[in-house]
Amino acid sequence: MNPREVELALRKQRLRIRADAQREDMLHRLAGIETALDSVDRAREYARWAATQAPLLSGGLLFLLLRPRRAWRLARRAWLAWLLLRKIRRSPLPAGLRDIIRRRATPGRP
């Protein structure tokens, strides 16, 4: 090898070592920011979901604003039904009754 090729090979090796060190330094510095960026990504996903569900969300909000008592009563009943369903799913039931409840609770199944 001529001296020029050796010099270029050494320079290339030094650049790789320096790039690796810079990469490690950058990863170390960005470790604290990663959780904040994850939160931003999650918020963007929620906003995207809300944009696709706009008619449903606006209808629910309109119902809440126009009929607050009825909306509160409906929410309370839904909450109690959800709690009851959780309790039923956890309790030991006869196999036949448990299967009927699961079939009715799972949409898309006959």
Side-chain angles (χ1 to χ4, degrees):
M1 275 185 135
N2 70 26
R4 174 98 172 121
E5 289 178 352
V6 172
E7 183 183 334
L8 286 175
L10 286 173
R11 184 173 180 215
K12 183 177 177 181
Q13 184 180 18
R14 279 189 239 119
L15 285 173
R16 282 186 179 166
I17 291 171
R18 193 167 70 189
D20 287 341
Q22 288 175 348
R23 190 177 303 115
E24 288 295 322
D25 182 51
M26 187 172 54
L27 287 174
H28 178 70
R29 290 178 188 217
L30 292 178
I33 298 173
E34 187 175 359
T35 55
L37 293 177
D38 288 343
S39 299
V40 169
D41 286 342
R42 227 180 357 258
R44 285 179 50 203
E45 287 298 319
Y46 289 147
R48 189 177 298 139
W49 177 84
T52 61
Q53 303 295 326
L56 178 66
L57 293 175
S58 61
L61 183 62
L62 188 63
F63 179 70
L64 180 66
L65 292 175
L66 295 179
R67 305 272 191 215
R69 281 190 181 161
R70 191 175 291 173
W72 177 251
R73 201 173 2 167
L74 182 65
R76 195 172 35 182
R77 286 180 184 171
W79 174 255
L80 290 174
W82 180 74
L83 288 176
L84 181 63
L85 186 62
R86 277 184 50 199
K87 188 174 184 177
I88 288 173
R89 284 183 175 175
R90 290 181 182 170
S91 69
L93 293 172
L97 184 58
R98 189 173 50 237
D99 291 340
I100 291 172
I101 291 171
R102 282 192 180 146
R103 266 189 268 143
R104 292 199 180 185
T106 309
R109 291 183 81 189

